[in-house]
Amino acid sequence: MSLARDSDDQMPTGANRPKPVVEVDGLKKHFPIKKGLLGRKIGNVYAVDGVSFSIAEGETLGLVGESGCGKSTVGRTVLRLIEPTAGSIRLDGQDITHLNKSELRPYRREMQIIFQDPYSSLNPRMTAGGIVGESLRFHGMTDAKERQARVAGLFDRVGLREAQMKSYPHEFSGGQRQRIGIARALALNPKLIVGDEPVSALDVSIQAQVINLLMDLQKEFQLAYLFIAHDLAVVEHISHRIAVMYLGKIVEHTDKRTLFTNPQHPYTEALLAAVPVPNPSLKRKRRIIQGDVPSPITPPPGCHFHTRCPYAEERCRVEVPQLKEVSPGHWVSCHLR
């Protein structure tokens, strides 16, 4: 990751903070569990259970946590690719939570996604130019020459050649395919882009190049990013603020500098302690999290993390901690803080 540049210093806070592009409040997504021929509901998978955040223009919110904690579900629910169970989603101040397909269509232009897998996310029967230009045609750019010129410009902007517009996905490397995915996400001039682990399937050197590209595009177009990842090193480079998720809930949320220098939640401490240090002479105490992640079907009562937390008290086992501000801009969900 040495090729990647750090994101700019902390975004302005309070009255000086840019206008939020997206505001999420109390977002929940519960998947029903059904059994039998009649499809009788017998329970729920509590994938996302009350998540709140906002992202301003030109800002990146990194969303991190272990596999299965609900990160990707948050991103897809914010985009209304998955219907929320409860909560609200506001895009540029407009509540889009309950809009139907026709009402939501104009807002689709403002929200795009870059998928994790650069192989399965591209249609193998379409040319690269056709993939990037499809959304332009779908949203009303019917002039073929104008569409081709727009796609050629996007290819050039993401580091691809215009001649490659006629090639098919199998003719590109993994990094090039992800650049096609980025060009497709940019095609409609969106305000919000959700990156669902967009570099996790790439080689480390290619990851750095793609991250640098995303950061340059953000500066140029003032994009808001929801960057979902499990690699803390990647998140540290690209994010302005970071939210840590555990079992469907955000347990800590602050700017990246504070999170890496002064983590307050035991789960965040353990995640940071597990990051390898590129210095063989430097020793540090590792905090090993005991046990397995509980099932999102039957999450533990009280604090969801208490079954693995070395500091858990009796209160943690029965009372759900609220996300509270322990210092300006630093929110933690822990009874001990």
Side-chain angles (χ1 to χ4, degrees):
M1 292 306 300
S2 59
L3 296 179
R5 302 183 298 271
D6 277 338
S7 61
D8 290 340
D9 289 336
Q10 301 174 19
M11 295 286 290
T13 58
N16 296 323
R17 189 167 181 247
K19 182 182 69 172
V21 172
V22 63
E23 300 168 273
V24 176
D25 185 28
L27 185 66
K28 296 184 179 182
K29 179 57 188 177
H30 301 165
F31 294 97
I33 302 172
K34 298 182 179 181
K35 185 178 181 180
L37 294 176
L38 300 179
R40 180 171 59 90
K41 181 179 175 181
I42 60 172
N44 286 302
V45 176
Y46 298 94
V48 179
D49 200 22
V51 167
S52 301
F53 58 83
S54 66
I55 310 174
E57 296 176 354
E59 183 180 40
T60 299
L61 174 65
L63 193 59
V64 302
E66 292 174 283
S67 297
C69 71
K71 305 185 300 296
S72 294
T73 304
V74 168
R76 292 167 189 249
T77 307
V78 167
L79 296 177
R80 287 287 307 277
L81 298 178
I82 300 174
E83 292 301 313
T85 302
S88 66
I89 306 161
R90 301 181 71 86
L91 184 68
D92 267 346
Q94 174 65 44
D95 192 333
I96 65 169
T97 315
H98 304 293
L99 299 183
N100 59 37
K101 289 184 178 180
S102 60
E103 294 171 333
L104 188 62
R105 182 170 177 177
Y107 297 98
R108 292 289 189 198
R109 301 174 62 99
E110 310 294 332
M111 309 180 294
Q112 295 295 315
I113 185 170
I114 303 170
F115 294 98
Q116 176 180 5
D117 189 351
Y119 296 89
S120 63
S121 62
L122 303 180
N123 188 337
R125 297 187 177 185
M126 295 180 67
T127 63
I131 290 169
V132 175
E134 184 179 26
S135 60
L136 296 171
R137 179 179 58 80
F138 184 79
H139 283 273
M141 187 180 284
T142 55
D143 186 279
K145 289 185 177 179
E146 183 181 356
R147 196 164 62 241
Q148 185 174 13
R150 169 67 175 159
V151 173
L154 288 167
F155 266 56
D156 179 67
R157 185 62 193 84
V158 300
L160 297 173
R161 301 189 309 276
E162 182 178 350
Q164 294 176 294
M165 290 168 54
K166 297 181 180 179
S167 301
Y168 286 85
H170 72 271
E171 300 177 71
F172 294 90
S173 67
Q176 289 175 324
R177 293 187 195 197
Q178 199 60 296
R179 290 174 186 268
I180 296 171
I182 293 171
R184 176 174 59 184
L186 287 174
L188 295 171
N189 295 318
K191 296 181 178 179
L192 170 69
I193 293 181
V194 174
D196 187 7
E197 303 201 32
V199 298
S200 63
L202 307 178
D203 292 339
V204 173
S205 61
I206 304 301
Q207 286 184 14
Q209 295 172 22
V210 172
I211 289 170
N212 287 340
L213 172 62
L214 290 172
M215 291 165 62
D216 290 341
L217 292 170
Q218 182 176 56
K219 291 179 182 178
E220 183 176 347
F221 300 110
Q222 283 299 292
L223 297 167
Y225 287 154
L226 175 60
F227 193 89
I228 299 166
H230 61 268
D231 188 332
L232 287 169
V234 171
V235 172
E236 182 181 10
H237 278 294
I238 196 171
S239 301
H240 297 97
R241 293 183 297 121
I242 299 175
V244 180
M245 280 193 71
Y246 183 79
L247 213 62
K249 295 179 179 289
I250 289 178
V251 297
E252 188 162 3
H253 182 187
T254 186
D255 65 89
K256 71 169 183 181
R257 187 176 302 167
T258 303
L259 187 90
F260 279 86
T261 58
N262 186 30
Q264 293 293 304
H265 197 281
Y267 178 61
T268 308
E269 291 178 357
L271 286 181
L272 294 177
V275 176
V277 178
N279 185 345
S281 63
L282 182 63
K283 304 294 183 181
R284 68 177 179 186
K285 184 179 179 181
R286 299 190 63 183
R287 299 176 180 87
I288 306 299
I289 303 178
Q290 302 297 325
D292 297 323
V293 179
S295 169
I297 300 174
T298 55
C303 174
H304 288 352
F305 189 59
H306 84 259
T307 58
R308 308 171 72 195
C309 179
Y311 314 115
E313 300 176 348
E314 185 58 34
R315 180 186 180 188
C316 304
R317 296 176 173 84
V318 295
E319 185 179 339
V320 178
Q322 300 301 311
L323 195 64
K324 58 187 177 183
E325 194 171 19
V326 296
S327 62
H330 194 166
W331 297 79
V332 181
S333 175
C334 181
H335 291 308
L336 307 178
R337 306 300 181 190

mmCIF file of all heavy atoms in Angstrom, residues 185-213:
data_model
loop_
_atom_site.group_PDB
_atom_site.id
_atom_site.type_symbol
_atom_site.label_atom_id
_atom_site.label_comp_id
_atom_site.label_asym_id
_atom_site.label_seq_id
_atom_site.Cartn_x
_atom_site.Cartn_y
_atom_site.Cartn_z
ATOM 1 N N ALA A 185 -19.739 3.527 -12.949
ATOM 2 C CA ALA A 185 -20.320 4.239 -11.810
ATOM 3 C C ALA A 185 -20.310 5.748 -12.034
ATOM 4 O O ALA A 185 -21.194 6.465 -11.551
ATOM 5 C CB ALA A 185 -19.549 3.890 -10.538
ATOM 6 N N LEU A 186 -19.311 6.260 -12.776
ATOM 7 C CA LEU A 186 -19.193 7.703 -13.025
ATOM 8 C C LEU A 186 -20.085 8.200 -14.150
ATOM 9 O O LEU A 186 -20.299 9.408 -14.281
ATOM 10 C CB LEU A 186 -17.747 8.051 -13.386
ATOM 11 C CG LEU A 186 -16.701 8.026 -12.280
ATOM 12 C CD1 LEU A 186 -15.324 8.265 -12.885
ATOM 13 C CD2 LEU A 186 -16.999 9.090 -11.239
ATOM 14 N N ALA A 187 -20.595 7.297 -14.966
ATOM 15 C CA ALA A 187 -21.238 7.677 -16.225
ATOM 16 C C ALA A 187 -22.347 8.711 -16.059
ATOM 17 O O ALA A 187 -22.504 9.617 -16.881
ATOM 18 C CB ALA A 187 -21.775 6.431 -16.926
ATOM 19 N N LEU A 188 -23.139 8.613 -14.994
ATOM 20 C CA LEU A 188 -24.304 9.480 -14.814
ATOM 21 C C LEU A 188 -24.031 10.661 -13.892
ATOM 22 O O LEU A 188 -24.963 11.301 -13.414
ATOM 23 C CB LEU A 188 -25.476 8.657 -14.274
ATOM 24 C CG LEU A 188 -25.996 7.571 -15.223
ATOM 25 C CD1 LEU A 188 -26.993 6.666 -14.526
ATOM 26 C CD2 LEU A 188 -26.613 8.190 -16.461
ATOM 27 N N ASN A 189 -22.757 10.960 -13.640
ATOM 28 C CA ASN A 189 -22.374 12.061 -12.742
ATOM 29 C C ASN A 189 -23.056 11.948 -11.378
ATOM 30 O O ASN A 189 -23.780 12.860 -10.952
ATOM 31 C CB ASN A 189 -22.714 13.412 -13.384
ATOM 32 C CG ASN A 189 -21.906 13.684 -14.624
ATOM 33 O OD1 ASN A 189 -20.708 13.423 -14.649
ATOM 34 N ND2 ASN A 189 -22.563 14.200 -15.659
ATOM 35 N N PRO A 190 -22.836 10.857 -10.664
ATOM 36 C CA PRO A 190 -23.506 10.663 -9.370
ATOM 37 C C PRO A 190 -22.910 11.561 -8.293
ATOM 38 O O PRO A 190 -21.834 12.146 -8.463
ATOM 39 C CB PRO A 190 -23.233 9.191 -9.057
ATOM 40 C CG PRO A 190 -21.897 8.941 -9.694
ATOM 41 C CD PRO A 190 -21.904 9.746 -10.965
ATOM 42 N N LYS A 191 -23.630 11.661 -7.182
ATOM 43 C CA LYS A 191 -23.131 12.375 -6.016
ATOM 44 C C LYS A 191 -22.618 11.415 -4.951
ATOM 45 O O LYS A 191 -21.752 11.772 -4.160
ATOM 46 C CB LYS A 191 -24.238 13.256 -5.430
ATOM 47 C CG LYS A 191 -24.686 14.367 -6.369
ATOM 48 C CD LYS A 191 -25.760 15.224 -5.726
ATOM 49 C CE LYS A 191 -26.171 16.363 -6.665
ATOM 50 N NZ LYS A 191 -27.228 17.201 -6.067
ATOM 51 N N LEU A 192 -23.169 10.202 -4.933
ATOM 52 C CA LEU A 192 -22.791 9.186 -3.948
ATOM 53 C C LEU A 192 -22.367 7.920 -4.664
ATOM 54 O O LEU A 192 -23.077 7.429 -5.550
ATOM 55 C CB LEU A 192 -23.968 8.876 -3.014
ATOM 56 C CG LEU A 192 -23.799 7.673 -2.082
ATOM 57 C CD1 LEU A 192 -22.749 7.952 -1.020
ATOM 58 C CD2 LEU A 192 -25.134 7.300 -1.429
ATOM 59 N N ILE A 193 -21.213 7.377 -4.282
ATOM 60 C CA ILE A 193 -20.764 6.082 -4.795
ATOM 61 C C ILE A 193 -20.479 5.174 -3.607
ATOM 62 O O ILE A 193 -19.736 5.542 -2.693
ATOM 63 C CB ILE A 193 -19.505 6.217 -5.673
ATOM 64 C CG1 ILE A 193 -19.833 6.970 -6.969
ATOM 65 C CG2 ILE A 193 -18.928 4.838 -5.998
ATOM 66 C CD1 ILE A 193 -18.646 7.116 -7.914
ATOM 67 N N VAL A 194 -21.085 4.005 -3.633
ATOM 68 C CA VAL A 194 -20.822 2.977 -2.630
ATOM 69 C C VAL A 194 -19.777 2.025 -3.205
ATOM 70 O O VAL A 194 -19.989 1.428 -4.258
ATOM 71 C CB VAL A 194 -22.105 2.204 -2.271
ATOM 72 C CG1 VAL A 194 -21.778 1.036 -1.337
ATOM 73 C CG2 VAL A 194 -23.130 3.128 -1.618
ATOM 74 N N GLY A 195 -18.645 1.914 -2.525
ATOM 75 C CA GLY A 195 -17.615 0.962 -2.921
ATOM 76 C C GLY A 195 -17.704 -0.264 -2.032
ATOM 77 O O GLY A 195 -17.322 -0.207 -0.865
ATOM 78 N N ASP A 196 -18.232 -1.356 -2.570
ATOM 79 C CA ASP A 196 -18.422 -2.576 -1.784
ATOM 80 C C ASP A 196 -17.164 -3.442 -1.881
ATOM 81 O O ASP A 196 -17.058 -4.328 -2.717
ATOM 82 C CB ASP A 196 -19.647 -3.345 -2.280
ATOM 83 C CG ASP A 196 -19.995 -4.533 -1.396
ATOM 84 O OD1 ASP A 196 -19.363 -4.685 -0.323
ATOM 85 O OD2 ASP A 196 -20.892 -5.313 -1.756
ATOM 86 N N GLU A 197 -16.191 -3.148 -1.031
ATOM 87 C CA GLU A 197 -14.881 -3.798 -1.055
ATOM 88 C C GLU A 197 -14.309 -3.789 -2.477
ATOM 89 O O GLU A 197 -13.958 -4.842 -3.030
ATOM 90 C CB GLU A 197 -14.976 -5.222 -0.502
ATOM 91 C CG GLU A 197 -15.540 -5.271 0.906
ATOM 92 C CD GLU A 197 -15.186 -6.549 1.660
ATOM 93 O OE1 GLU A 197 -14.108 -7.083 1.400
ATOM 94 O OE2 GLU A 197 -15.987 -6.981 2.499
ATOM 95 N N PRO A 198 -14.167 -2.613 -3.088
ATOM 96 C CA PRO A 198 -13.819 -2.543 -4.512
ATOM 97 C C PRO A 198 -12.387 -2.928 -4.853
ATOM 98 O O PRO A 198 -12.076 -3.074 -6.036
ATOM 99 C CB PRO A 198 -14.079 -1.068 -4.846
ATOM 100 C CG PRO A 198 -13.872 -0.346 -3.556
ATOM 101 C CD PRO A 198 -14.365 -1.280 -2.500
ATOM 102 N N VAL A 199 -11.505 -3.070 -3.855
ATOM 103 C CA VAL A 199 -10.112 -3.417 -4.172
ATOM 104 C C VAL A 199 -9.675 -4.733 -3.528
ATOM 105 O O VAL A 199 -8.523 -5.139 -3.690
ATOM 106 C CB VAL A 199 -9.140 -2.287 -3.744
ATOM 107 C CG1 VAL A 199 -9.439 -1.010 -4.507
ATOM 108 C CG2 VAL A 199 -9.190 -2.040 -2.249
ATOM 109 N N SER A 200 -10.575 -5.411 -2.832
ATOM 110 C CA SER A 200 -10.165 -6.601 -2.080
ATOM 111 C C SER A 200 -9.777 -7.764 -2.983
ATOM 112 O O SER A 200 -9.040 -8.654 -2.561
ATOM 113 C CB SER A 200 -11.283 -7.035 -1.124
ATOM 114 O OG SER A 200 -12.438 -7.412 -1.851
ATOM 115 N N ALA A 201 -10.258 -7.780 -4.230
ATOM 116 C CA ALA A 201 -9.946 -8.885 -5.143
ATOM 117 C C ALA A 201 -8.730 -8.594 -6.013
ATOM 118 O O ALA A 201 -8.390 -9.399 -6.883
ATOM 119 C CB ALA A 201 -11.162 -9.176 -6.038
ATOM 120 N N LEU A 202 -8.046 -7.459 -5.760
ATOM 121 C CA LEU A 202 -6.935 -7.046 -6.607
ATOM 122 C C LEU A 202 -5.597 -7.247 -5.905
ATOM 123 O O LEU A 202 -5.528 -7.290 -4.681
ATOM 124 C CB LEU A 202 -7.087 -5.566 -6.981
ATOM 125 C CG LEU A 202 -8.417 -5.147 -7.609
ATOM 126 C CD1 LEU A 202 -8.419 -3.652 -7.865
ATOM 127 C CD2 LEU A 202 -8.687 -5.920 -8.890
ATOM 128 N N ASP A 203 -4.525 -7.359 -6.702
ATOM 129 C CA ASP A 203 -3.181 -7.414 -6.140
ATOM 130 C C ASP A 203 -2.884 -6.119 -5.387
ATOM 131 O O ASP A 203 -3.452 -5.062 -5.684
ATOM 132 C CB ASP A 203 -2.143 -7.608 -7.248
ATOM 133 C CG ASP A 203 -2.247 -8.973 -7.903
ATOM 134 O OD1 ASP A 203 -2.814 -9.881 -7.269
ATOM 135 O OD2 ASP A 203 -1.782 -9.120 -9.048
ATOM 136 N N VAL A 204 -1.954 -6.184 -4.435
ATOM 137 C CA VAL A 204 -1.687 -5.039 -3.570
ATOM 138 C C VAL A 204 -1.254 -3.809 -4.362
ATOM 139 O O VAL A 204 -1.718 -2.697 -4.110
ATOM 140 C CB VAL A 204 -0.620 -5.405 -2.515
ATOM 141 C CG1 VAL A 204 -0.217 -4.179 -1.720
ATOM 142 C CG2 VAL A 204 -1.152 -6.482 -1.577
ATOM 143 N N SER A 205 -0.354 -3.978 -5.339
ATOM 144 C CA SER A 205 0.115 -2.824 -6.116
ATOM 145 C C SER A 205 -1.022 -2.220 -6.933
ATOM 146 O O SER A 205 -1.099 -0.994 -7.099
ATOM 147 C CB SER A 205 1.266 -3.231 -7.032
ATOM 148 O OG SER A 205 0.843 -4.231 -7.943
ATOM 149 N N ILE A 206 -1.907 -3.074 -7.438
ATOM 150 C CA ILE A 206 -3.050 -2.586 -8.216
ATOM 151 C C ILE A 206 -4.054 -1.907 -7.278
ATOM 152 O O ILE A 206 -4.684 -0.913 -7.654
ATOM 153 C CB ILE A 206 -3.721 -3.741 -8.981
ATOM 154 C CG1 ILE A 206 -2.693 -4.453 -9.868
ATOM 155 C CG2 ILE A 206 -4.877 -3.214 -9.831
ATOM 156 C CD1 ILE A 206 -2.029 -3.555 -10.884
ATOM 157 N N GLN A 207 -4.188 -2.410 -6.063
ATOM 158 C CA GLN A 207 -5.058 -1.763 -5.081
ATOM 159 C C GLN A 207 -4.666 -0.305 -4.900
ATOM 160 O O GLN A 207 -5.515 0.593 -4.891
ATOM 161 C CB GLN A 207 -4.955 -2.477 -3.731
ATOM 162 C CG GLN A 207 -5.658 -3.817 -3.651
ATOM 163 C CD GLN A 207 -5.586 -4.407 -2.247
ATOM 164 O OE1 GLN A 207 -5.252 -3.714 -1.296
ATOM 165 N NE2 GLN A 207 -5.879 -5.679 -2.124
ATOM 166 N N ALA A 208 -3.370 -0.054 -4.757
ATOM 167 C CA ALA A 208 -2.890 1.313 -4.545
ATOM 168 C C ALA A 208 -3.247 2.209 -5.721
ATOM 169 O O ALA A 208 -3.673 3.356 -5.533
ATOM 170 C CB ALA A 208 -1.383 1.301 -4.311
ATOM 171 N N GLN A 209 -3.102 1.701 -6.934
ATOM 172 C CA GLN A 209 -3.428 2.493 -8.121
ATOM 173 C C GLN A 209 -4.916 2.828 -8.172
ATOM 174 O O GLN A 209 -5.292 3.972 -8.476
ATOM 175 C CB GLN A 209 -3.017 1.730 -9.380
ATOM 176 C CG GLN A 209 -1.522 1.505 -9.517
ATOM 177 C CD GLN A 209 -1.184 0.593 -10.675
ATOM 178 O OE1 GLN A 209 -1.975 0.447 -11.612
ATOM 179 N NE2 GLN A 209 -0.015 -0.029 -10.628
ATOM 180 N N VAL A 210 -5.755 1.853 -7.865
ATOM 181 C CA VAL A 210 -7.205 2.073 -7.908
ATOM 182 C C VAL A 210 -7.631 3.047 -6.807
ATOM 183 O O VAL A 210 -8.478 3.920 -7.015
ATOM 184 C CB VAL A 210 -7.955 0.731 -7.797
ATOM 185 C CG1 VAL A 210 -9.456 0.961 -7.649
ATOM 186 C CG2 VAL A 210 -7.687 -0.126 -9.028
ATOM 187 N N ILE A 211 -7.039 2.913 -5.620
ATOM 188 C CA ILE A 211 -7.361 3.835 -4.518
ATOM 189 C C ILE A 211 -6.961 5.261 -4.892
ATOM 190 O O ILE A 211 -7.721 6.221 -4.675
ATOM 191 C CB ILE A 211 -6.664 3.392 -3.225
ATOM 192 C CG1 ILE A 211 -7.318 2.128 -2.693
ATOM 193 C CG2 ILE A 211 -6.743 4.494 -2.162
ATOM 194 C CD1 ILE A 211 -6.563 1.489 -1.556
ATOM 195 N N ASN A 212 -5.775 5.431 -5.472
ATOM 196 C CA ASN A 212 -5.352 6.760 -5.905
ATOM 197 C C ASN A 212 -6.308 7.333 -6.945
ATOM 198 O O ASN A 212 -6.629 8.528 -6.929
ATOM 199 C CB ASN A 212 -3.937 6.708 -6.479
ATOM 200 C CG ASN A 212 -2.888 6.511 -5.406
ATOM 201 O OD1 ASN A 212 -3.116 6.764 -4.231
ATOM 202 N ND2 ASN A 212 -1.715 6.040 -5.810
ATOM 203 N N LEU A 213 -6.777 6.489 -7.855
ATOM 204 C CA LEU A 213 -7.741 6.927 -8.865
ATOM 205 C C LEU A 213 -9.037 7.390 -8.205
ATOM 206 O O LEU A 213 -9.571 8.459 -8.545
ATOM 207 C CB LEU A 213 -8.021 5.788 -9.849
ATOM 208 C CG LEU A 213 -9.155 6.027 -10.858
ATOM 209 C CD1 LEU A 213 -8.822 7.207 -11.760
ATOM 210 C CD2 LEU A 213 -9.412 4.766 -11.680
#
